[in-house]
């Protein structure tokens, strides 16, 4: 029996080693991988820590985008983050304990079922910006005396009555922080240009900021040196001498969040002026708060730029004025009587009709749609029509582009389970520990949910394993393949400093070469070239969402207003922004005229944490300086 196969332990080990070598030492590789994963595993947490972590995640996720959150939403997302390891009773008890500690505070909201909460941190941020504005009233030397400001306005005969009033009010104001509430198409650029020249003549350094790269570029049309608000907040600012005076313009202030406004106002020096410019009826930002509107409610001195100059047609101008002042139902009735509203109940036929209308004057026309799904359908329908008449080339080039996962909040980007394999990550800040450079891209290849670890393949082919909680400043995308042809209109979906393009800039493709080399001409007539291996942030640009359209102007605007979308997408802000883009002609295409009026008349606004009547006294405000 011994001769038939019983071996010594040494012989058995040698046989195992030979077998392992024959199959590439797979067992050793498994052990090494397990040990590597173990390095990144978090220490086991007890149930109390896990419950608190889950509710903290829910807090961070929800209060990133709203100042007031429903109790049920907080508990729901806490349970989801607990991944079955925490119970409803545990999350509710933790919430009650944190309410008792003052971290969460109840907010009274009429007609709202269930309890609504905000946080002490949110209340403090809103208090701070209101206090800074109130404390800054009558605290600074005006740029010009009132007679001097009137003289400056008189020198510019092209200014209309409201533009002259705004110039006079802004230049003679003794307030450190003031505002301009301007209707869409009211000649803001012309007005700001006059204010800039006057401020510079008095020794002020004028600098502009905006929450979006395109809005920052539009400040450049008034010859204002401008950048994004986020870029300004990210850079370190050296102390300035007391005789160095700034005059800051913040355009599209309705898009700024409470945290952005607080951080910006905390940086201004006592001798600096700030001018917040925006329109409370246009779109608001993604992040929490509505500071521009809230500051006006708190008494911020605000000049009114309310004479529209964009619309050439008197009837269309009257309708836009109604929209700008909140008379949405009356405006829609007028547009319908003017023949500017068409009802087409079948979705496919409505899309085809809009596409056919577009090609009648493509170089003068913009399509606006409430959601990305219908926007994609419209882009496809327009391309088909343009290819049929030869405006767009017949040969398609399938190119990979990146689509941002906009639903992911900052809190969700720190949770491995919210990622999917093949997600593309862009590292805005990079990581010295992982050797990842700022601006680098990586692809998710594996997800360890229990350990909260991502495995990402870098462009070099190396793998990086890390806990996403330890690496902030990332954007997450999905790669999709779209067909593009010569003659296609495209919109850029992210800014690019090398190309000098802003987010939502529009261009026409002039050539597509081997390897995805593209030459395109921007609407400002600049020609640019890029390779899709380097820049994948673009999409078809025939139809845009109303958020993307804010700041654009076109002679003709075709509005797709399907009433089946979520009220967050089709509401009074959508109607005002979309229709006011048109300088000459607008047509609204809807599936149901009877449903359109009430839905587009609805107001969907960001919440605020405090009632202005609760704001601190002047003595409290002084303490923040």
């Amino acid at each position: 029996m011994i001769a038939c196969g019983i071996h010594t332990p040494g012989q058995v080990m040698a046989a195992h080693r030979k077998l392992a070598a024959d199959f590439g030492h797979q067992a050793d590789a498994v052990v090494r991988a397990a040990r590597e994963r173990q390095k990144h595993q978090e220490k086991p947490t007890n149930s109390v820590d896990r419950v608190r972590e889950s509710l903290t995640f829910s807090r961070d996720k929800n209060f990133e985008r709203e100042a007031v959150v429903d109790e049920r939403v907080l508990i729901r997302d806490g349970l989801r983050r607990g991944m079955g390891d925490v119970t409803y009773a545990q999350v509710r008890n933790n919430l009650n304990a944190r309410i008792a500690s003052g971290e969460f505070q109840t907010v009274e909201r009429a007609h709202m079922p269930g309890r609504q909460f905000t946080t002490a941190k949110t209340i403090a941020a809103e208090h701070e910006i209101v206090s800074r504005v109130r404390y800054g009233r009558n605290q600074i030397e005006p740029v010009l005396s009132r007679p001097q400001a009137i003289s400056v306005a008189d020198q510019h005969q092209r200014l209309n009555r409201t533009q002259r009033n705004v110039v006079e009010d802004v230049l003679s104001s003794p307030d450190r922080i003031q505002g301009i509430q301007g209707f869409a198409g009211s000649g803001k650029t012309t007005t700001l240009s006059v204010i800039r020249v006057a401020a510079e003549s008095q020794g002020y350094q004028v600098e502009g900021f905006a929450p979006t790269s395109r809005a920052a570029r539009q400040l450049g049309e008034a010859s204002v040196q401008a950048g994004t608000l986020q870029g300004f907040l990210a850079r370190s600012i050296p102390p300035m001498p007391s005789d160095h005076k700034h005059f800051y313009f913040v355009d599209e202030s309705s898009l700024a969040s409470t945290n952005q406004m607080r951080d910006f106002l905390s940086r201004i020096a006592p001798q600096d002026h700030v001018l917040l410019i925006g329109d409370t009826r246009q779109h608001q930002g993604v992040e929490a708060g509505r500071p521009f509107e809230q500051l006006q409610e708190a008494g911020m001195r605000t000049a009114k730029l309310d004479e529209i100059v964009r619309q050439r047609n008197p009837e269309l101008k009257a309708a836009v004025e109604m929209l700008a002042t909140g008379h949405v139902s009356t405006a829609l009735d007028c547009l319908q009587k003017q023949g500017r509203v068409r009802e087409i109940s079948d979705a496919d036929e409505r899309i085809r009709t809009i596409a056919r209308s577009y090609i009648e004057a493509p170089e003068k026309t913009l399509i606006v749609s409430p959601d990305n799904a219908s926007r994609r359908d419209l882009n496809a329908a327009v391309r088909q029509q343009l290819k049929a008449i030869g405006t767009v080339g017949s040969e398609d080039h399938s190119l990979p582009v990146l689509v941002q996962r906009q639903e992911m909040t900052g809190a969700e980007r720190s949770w491995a389970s919210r990622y999917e394999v093949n997600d593309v990550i862009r590292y805005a800040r990079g990581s010295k520990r992982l050797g990842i450079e700022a601006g680098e891209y990586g692809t998710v290849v594996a997800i360890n949910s229990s350990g909260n670890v991502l495995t990402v393949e870098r462009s070099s082919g190396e793998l990086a394993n890390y806990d996403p909680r330890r690496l902030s400043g990332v954007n997450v995308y999905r790669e999709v393949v779209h067909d593009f042809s010569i003659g296609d209109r495209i919109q850029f979906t992210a800014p690019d400093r090398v190309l000098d393009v802003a987010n939502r800039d529009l261009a026409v493709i002039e050539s597509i070469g081997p390897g995805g080399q593209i030459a395109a001409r921007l609407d400002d007539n600049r020609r640019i070239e890029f390779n899709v291996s380097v820049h994948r942030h673009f999409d078809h640009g025939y139809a845009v969402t109303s958020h993307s359209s804010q700041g654009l102007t076109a002679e003709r605007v075709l509005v797709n207003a399907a009433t089946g979308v979520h009220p967050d997408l089709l509401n009074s802000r959508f109607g005002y922004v979309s229709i006011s883009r048109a300088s000459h002609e607008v047509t609204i295409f809807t599936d149901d005229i009877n449903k359109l009026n009430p839905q587009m008349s609805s107001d969907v606004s960001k919440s605020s944490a405090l009632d202005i009547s609760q704001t601190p006294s002047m003595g409290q405000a002084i303490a923040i300086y």
Side-chain angles (χ1 to χ4, degrees), residues 442-459:
T443 303
V444 176
V445 295
I447 300 163
N448 180 347
S449 298
S450 60
N452 203 53
V453 174
L454 293 176
T455 300
V456 176
E457 182 177 2
R458 301 171 56 191
S459 55

mmCIF file with all atom_site columns, all heavy atoms in Angstrom, residues 442-459:
data_model
loop_
_atom_site.group_PDB
_atom_site.id
_atom_site.type_symbol
_atom_site.label_atom_id
_atom_site.label_alt_id
_atom_site.label_comp_id
_atom_site.label_asym_id
_atom_site.label_entity_id
_atom_site.label_seq_id
_atom_site.pdbx_PDB_ins_code
_atom_site.Cartn_x
_atom_site.Cartn_y
_atom_site.Cartn_z
_atom_site.occupancy
_atom_site.B_iso_or_equiv
_atom_site.pdbx_formal_charge
_atom_site.auth_seq_id
_atom_site.auth_comp_id
_atom_site.auth_asym_id
_atom_site.auth_atom_id
_atom_site.pdbx_PDB_model_num
ATOM 1   N N   . GLY A 1 442 ? -9.565  57.905 -13.897 1.00 0.00 ? 442 GLY A N   1
ATOM 2   C CA  . GLY A 1 442 ? -9.430  56.486 -13.607 1.00 0.00 ? 442 GLY A CA  1
ATOM 3   C C   . GLY A 1 442 ? -10.764 55.793 -13.818 1.00 0.00 ? 442 GLY A C   1
ATOM 4   O O   . GLY A 1 442 ? -11.821 56.441 -13.830 1.00 0.00 ? 442 GLY A O   1
ATOM 5   N N   . THR A 1 443 ? -10.732 54.466 -13.968 1.00 0.00 ? 443 THR A N   1
ATOM 6   C CA  . THR A 1 443 ? -11.944 53.684 -14.208 1.00 0.00 ? 443 THR A CA  1
ATOM 7   C C   . THR A 1 443 ? -12.138 52.677 -13.085 1.00 0.00 ? 443 THR A C   1
ATOM 8   O O   . THR A 1 443 ? -11.204 51.939 -12.732 1.00 0.00 ? 443 THR A O   1
ATOM 9   C CB  . THR A 1 443 ? -11.856 52.938 -15.553 1.00 0.00 ? 443 THR A CB  1
ATOM 10  O OG1 . THR A 1 443 ? -11.625 53.882 -16.602 1.00 0.00 ? 443 THR A OG1 1
ATOM 11  C CG2 . THR A 1 443 ? -13.140 52.172 -15.834 1.00 0.00 ? 443 THR A CG2 1
ATOM 12  N N   . VAL A 1 444 ? -13.335 52.627 -12.516 1.00 0.00 ? 444 VAL A N   1
ATOM 13  C CA  . VAL A 1 444 ? -13.633 51.688 -11.444 1.00 0.00 ? 444 VAL A CA  1
ATOM 14  C C   . VAL A 1 444 ? -13.676 50.271 -12.008 1.00 0.00 ? 444 VAL A C   1
ATOM 15  O O   . VAL A 1 444 ? -14.424 49.992 -12.950 1.00 0.00 ? 444 VAL A O   1
ATOM 16  C CB  . VAL A 1 444 ? -14.980 52.036 -10.770 1.00 0.00 ? 444 VAL A CB  1
ATOM 17  C CG1 . VAL A 1 444 ? -15.337 50.991 -9.716  1.00 0.00 ? 444 VAL A CG1 1
ATOM 18  C CG2 . VAL A 1 444 ? -14.930 53.434 -10.163 1.00 0.00 ? 444 VAL A CG2 1
ATOM 19  N N   . VAL A 1 445 ? -12.864 49.380 -11.428 1.00 0.00 ? 445 VAL A N   1
ATOM 20  C CA  . VAL A 1 445 ? -12.836 47.992 -11.898 1.00 0.00 ? 445 VAL A CA  1
ATOM 21  C C   . VAL A 1 445 ? -13.349 47.012 -10.848 1.00 0.00 ? 445 VAL A C   1
ATOM 22  O O   . VAL A 1 445 ? -13.672 45.865 -11.173 1.00 0.00 ? 445 VAL A O   1
ATOM 23  C CB  . VAL A 1 445 ? -11.417 47.582 -12.352 1.00 0.00 ? 445 VAL A CB  1
ATOM 24  C CG1 . VAL A 1 445 ? -10.993 48.392 -13.573 1.00 0.00 ? 445 VAL A CG1 1
ATOM 25  C CG2 . VAL A 1 445 ? -10.398 47.745 -11.227 1.00 0.00 ? 445 VAL A CG2 1
ATOM 26  N N   . ALA A 1 446 ? -13.397 47.439 -9.584  1.00 0.00 ? 446 ALA A N   1
ATOM 27  C CA  . ALA A 1 446 ? -13.915 46.554 -8.534  1.00 0.00 ? 446 ALA A CA  1
ATOM 28  C C   . ALA A 1 446 ? -14.402 47.399 -7.368  1.00 0.00 ? 446 ALA A C   1
ATOM 29  O O   . ALA A 1 446 ? -13.906 48.497 -7.123  1.00 0.00 ? 446 ALA A O   1
ATOM 30  C CB  . ALA A 1 446 ? -12.838 45.573 -8.065  1.00 0.00 ? 446 ALA A CB  1
ATOM 31  N N   . ILE A 1 447 ? -15.407 46.846 -6.646  1.00 0.00 ? 447 ILE A N   1
ATOM 32  C CA  . ILE A 1 447 ? -16.012 47.552 -5.518  1.00 0.00 ? 447 ILE A CA  1
ATOM 33  C C   . ILE A 1 447 ? -16.112 46.593 -4.345  1.00 0.00 ? 447 ILE A C   1
ATOM 34  O O   . ILE A 1 447 ? -16.694 45.506 -4.471  1.00 0.00 ? 447 ILE A O   1
ATOM 35  C CB  . ILE A 1 447 ? -17.414 48.075 -5.884  1.00 0.00 ? 447 ILE A CB  1
ATOM 36  C CG1 . ILE A 1 447 ? -17.335 49.050 -7.059  1.00 0.00 ? 447 ILE A CG1 1
ATOM 37  C CG2 . ILE A 1 447 ? -18.074 48.749 -4.672  1.00 0.00 ? 447 ILE A CG2 1
ATOM 38  C CD1 . ILE A 1 447 ? -18.671 49.291 -7.736  1.00 0.00 ? 447 ILE A CD1 1
ATOM 39  N N   . ASN A 1 448 ? -15.535 46.991 -3.217  1.00 0.00 ? 448 ASN A N   1
ATOM 40  C CA  . ASN A 1 448 ? -15.641 46.211 -1.980  1.00 0.00 ? 448 ASN A CA  1
ATOM 41  C C   . ASN A 1 448 ? -16.604 46.964 -1.064  1.00 0.00 ? 448 ASN A C   1
ATOM 42  O O   . ASN A 1 448 ? -16.205 47.906 -0.373  1.00 0.00 ? 448 ASN A O   1
ATOM 43  C CB  . ASN A 1 448 ? -14.262 46.068 -1.329  1.00 0.00 ? 448 ASN A CB  1
ATOM 44  C CG  . ASN A 1 448 ? -14.309 45.271 -0.025  1.00 0.00 ? 448 ASN A CG  1
ATOM 45  O OD1 . ASN A 1 448 ? -15.367 45.020 0.521   1.00 0.00 ? 448 ASN A OD1 1
ATOM 46  N ND2 . ASN A 1 448 ? -13.142 44.895 0.464   1.00 0.00 ? 448 ASN A ND2 1
ATOM 47  N N   . SER A 1 449 ? -17.866 46.570 -1.085  1.00 0.00 ? 449 SER A N   1
ATOM 48  C CA  . SER A 1 449 ? -18.883 47.307 -0.343  1.00 0.00 ? 449 SER A CA  1
ATOM 49  C C   . SER A 1 449 ? -18.685 47.214 1.155   1.00 0.00 ? 449 SER A C   1
ATOM 50  O O   . SER A 1 449 ? -18.804 48.210 1.868   1.00 0.00 ? 449 SER A O   1
ATOM 51  C CB  . SER A 1 449 ? -20.278 46.783 -0.715  1.00 0.00 ? 449 SER A CB  1
ATOM 52  O OG  . SER A 1 449 ? -20.544 46.987 -2.085  1.00 0.00 ? 449 SER A OG  1
ATOM 53  N N   . SER A 1 450 ? -18.387 46.025 1.663   1.00 0.00 ? 450 SER A N   1
ATOM 54  C CA  . SER A 1 450 ? -18.262 45.861 3.110   1.00 0.00 ? 450 SER A CA  1
ATOM 55  C C   . SER A 1 450 ? -17.081 46.641 3.666   1.00 0.00 ? 450 SER A C   1
ATOM 56  O O   . SER A 1 450 ? -17.144 47.193 4.762   1.00 0.00 ? 450 SER A O   1
ATOM 57  C CB  . SER A 1 450 ? -18.116 44.373 3.462   1.00 0.00 ? 450 SER A CB  1
ATOM 58  O OG  . SER A 1 450 ? -16.963 43.832 2.832   1.00 0.00 ? 450 SER A OG  1
ATOM 59  N N   . GLY A 1 451 ? -15.987 46.723 2.904   1.00 0.00 ? 451 GLY A N   1
ATOM 60  C CA  . GLY A 1 451 ? -14.821 47.469 3.351   1.00 0.00 ? 451 GLY A CA  1
ATOM 61  C C   . GLY A 1 451 ? -14.809 48.908 2.894   1.00 0.00 ? 451 GLY A C   1
ATOM 62  O O   . GLY A 1 451 ? -13.907 49.675 3.241   1.00 0.00 ? 451 GLY A O   1
ATOM 63  N N   . ASN A 1 452 ? -15.813 49.303 2.089   1.00 0.00 ? 452 ASN A N   1
ATOM 64  C CA  . ASN A 1 452 ? -15.900 50.645 1.510   1.00 0.00 ? 452 ASN A CA  1
ATOM 65  C C   . ASN A 1 452 ? -14.613 50.990 0.760   1.00 0.00 ? 452 ASN A C   1
ATOM 66  O O   . ASN A 1 452 ? -13.995 52.040 0.973   1.00 0.00 ? 452 ASN A O   1
ATOM 67  C CB  . ASN A 1 452 ? -16.190 51.706 2.575   1.00 0.00 ? 452 ASN A CB  1
ATOM 68  C CG  . ASN A 1 452 ? -16.811 52.949 1.959   1.00 0.00 ? 452 ASN A CG  1
ATOM 69  O OD1 . ASN A 1 452 ? -17.801 52.872 1.241   1.00 0.00 ? 452 ASN A OD1 1
ATOM 70  N ND2 . ASN A 1 452 ? -16.218 54.110 2.205   1.00 0.00 ? 452 ASN A ND2 1
ATOM 71  N N   . VAL A 1 453 ? -14.215 50.098 -0.149  1.00 0.00 ? 453 VAL A N   1
ATOM 72  C CA  . VAL A 1 453 ? -12.975 50.268 -0.905  1.00 0.00 ? 453 VAL A CA  1
ATOM 73  C C   . VAL A 1 453 ? -13.269 50.182 -2.400  1.00 0.00 ? 453 VAL A C   1
ATOM 74  O O   . VAL A 1 453 ? -14.013 49.302 -2.851  1.00 0.00 ? 453 VAL A O   1
ATOM 75  C CB  . VAL A 1 453 ? -11.936 49.197 -0.521  1.00 0.00 ? 453 VAL A CB  1
ATOM 76  C CG1 . VAL A 1 453 ? -10.693 49.286 -1.410  1.00 0.00 ? 453 VAL A CG1 1
ATOM 77  C CG2 . VAL A 1 453 ? -11.537 49.351 0.942   1.00 0.00 ? 453 VAL A CG2 1
ATOM 78  N N   . LEU A 1 454 ? -12.708 51.102 -3.163  1.00 0.00 ? 454 LEU A N   1
ATOM 79  C CA  . LEU A 1 454 ? -12.768 51.075 -4.621  1.00 0.00 ? 454 LEU A CA  1
ATOM 80  C C   . LEU A 1 454 ? -11.429 50.614 -5.168  1.00 0.00 ? 454 LEU A C   1
ATOM 81  O O   . LEU A 1 454 ? -10.371 50.963 -4.634  1.00 0.00 ? 454 LEU A O   1
ATOM 82  C CB  . LEU A 1 454 ? -13.060 52.468 -5.187  1.00 0.00 ? 454 LEU A CB  1
ATOM 83  C CG  . LEU A 1 454 ? -14.422 53.095 -4.907  1.00 0.00 ? 454 LEU A CG  1
ATOM 84  C CD1 . LEU A 1 454 ? -14.456 54.507 -5.488  1.00 0.00 ? 454 LEU A CD1 1
ATOM 85  C CD2 . LEU A 1 454 ? -15.551 52.258 -5.480  1.00 0.00 ? 454 LEU A CD2 1
ATOM 86  N N   . THR A 1 455 ? -11.485 49.842 -6.250  1.00 0.00 ? 455 THR A N   1
ATOM 87  C CA  . THR A 1 455 ? -10.282 49.536 -7.021  1.00 0.00 ? 455 THR A CA  1
ATOM 88  C C   . THR A 1 455 ? -10.431 50.228 -8.358  1.00 0.00 ? 455 THR A C   1
ATOM 89  O O   . THR A 1 455 ? -11.385 49.983 -9.100  1.00 0.00 ? 455 THR A O   1
ATOM 90  C CB  . THR A 1 455 ? -10.108 48.020 -7.225  1.00 0.00 ? 455 THR A CB  1
ATOM 91  O OG1 . THR A 1 455 ? -10.010 47.386 -5.943  1.00 0.00 ? 455 THR A OG1 1
ATOM 92  C CG2 . THR A 1 455 ? -8.836  47.736 -8.015  1.00 0.00 ? 455 THR A CG2 1
ATOM 93  N N   . VAL A 1 456 ? -9.489  51.132 -8.628  1.00 0.00 ? 456 VAL A N   1
ATOM 94  C CA  . VAL A 1 456 ? -9.561  51.986 -9.813  1.00 0.00 ? 456 VAL A CA  1
ATOM 95  C C   . VAL A 1 456 ? -8.337  51.744 -10.685 1.00 0.00 ? 456 VAL A C   1
ATOM 96  O O   . VAL A 1 456 ? -7.202  51.727 -10.191 1.00 0.00 ? 456 VAL A O   1
ATOM 97  C CB  . VAL A 1 456 ? -9.641  53.474 -9.410  1.00 0.00 ? 456 VAL A CB  1
ATOM 98  C CG1 . VAL A 1 456 ? -9.610  54.364 -10.638 1.00 0.00 ? 456 VAL A CG1 1
ATOM 99  C CG2 . VAL A 1 456 ? -10.904 53.732 -8.599  1.00 0.00 ? 456 VAL A CG2 1
ATOM 100 N N   . GLU A 1 457 ? -8.581  51.541 -11.976 1.00 0.00 ? 457 GLU A N   1
ATOM 101 C CA  . GLU A 1 457 ? -7.482  51.411 -12.923 1.00 0.00 ? 457 GLU A CA  1
ATOM 102 C C   . GLU A 1 457 ? -7.134  52.789 -13.475 1.00 0.00 ? 457 GLU A C   1
ATOM 103 O O   . GLU A 1 457 ? -7.975  53.471 -14.062 1.00 0.00 ? 457 GLU A O   1
ATOM 104 C CB  . GLU A 1 457 ? -7.862  50.477 -14.075 1.00 0.00 ? 457 GLU A CB  1
ATOM 105 C CG  . GLU A 1 457 ? -6.718  50.261 -15.067 1.00 0.00 ? 457 GLU A CG  1
ATOM 106 C CD  . GLU A 1 457 ? -7.062  49.281 -16.171 1.00 0.00 ? 457 GLU A CD  1
ATOM 107 O OE1 . GLU A 1 457 ? -8.213  48.785 -16.186 1.00 0.00 ? 457 GLU A OE1 1
ATOM 108 O OE2 . GLU A 1 457 ? -6.189  49.006 -17.020 1.00 0.00 ? 457 GLU A OE2 1
ATOM 109 N N   . ARG A 1 458 ? -5.893  53.192 -13.254 1.00 0.00 ? 458 ARG A N   1
ATOM 110 C CA  . ARG A 1 458 ? -5.434  54.490 -13.725 1.00 0.00 ? 458 ARG A CA  1
ATOM 111 C C   . ARG A 1 458 ? -5.085  54.420 -15.206 1.00 0.00 ? 458 ARG A C   1
ATOM 112 O O   . ARG A 1 458 ? -5.006  53.342 -15.793 1.00 0.00 ? 458 ARG A O   1
ATOM 113 C CB  . ARG A 1 458 ? -4.234  54.948 -12.897 1.00 0.00 ? 458 ARG A CB  1
ATOM 114 C CG  . ARG A 1 458 ? -4.551  55.072 -11.411 1.00 0.00 ? 458 ARG A CG  1
ATOM 115 C CD  . ARG A 1 458 ? -3.301  55.311 -10.596 1.00 0.00 ? 458 ARG A CD  1
ATOM 116 N NE  . ARG A 1 458 ? -2.582  56.489 -11.061 1.00 0.00 ? 458 ARG A NE  1
ATOM 117 C CZ  . ARG A 1 458 ? -1.352  56.822 -10.666 1.00 0.00 ? 458 ARG A CZ  1
ATOM 118 N NH1 . ARG A 1 458 ? -0.702  56.030 -9.812  1.00 0.00 ? 458 ARG A NH1 1
ATOM 119 N NH2 . ARG A 1 458 ? -0.768  57.909 -11.127 1.00 0.00 ? 458 ARG A NH2 1
ATOM 120 N N   . SER A 1 459 ? -4.868  55.584 -15.821 1.00 0.00 ? 459 SER A N   1
ATOM 121 C CA  . SER A 1 459 ? -4.547  55.608 -17.249 1.00 0.00 ? 459 SER A CA  1
ATOM 122 C C   . SER A 1 459 ? -3.241  54.905 -17.545 1.00 0.00 ? 459 SER A C   1
ATOM 123 O O   . SER A 1 459 ? -3.020  54.424 -18.656 1.00 0.00 ? 459 SER A O   1
ATOM 124 C CB  . SER A 1 459 ? -4.484  57.060 -17.734 1.00 0.00 ? 459 SER A CB  1
ATOM 125 O OG  . SER A 1 459 ? -3.573  57.811 -16.946 1.00 0.00 ? 459 SER A OG  1
#
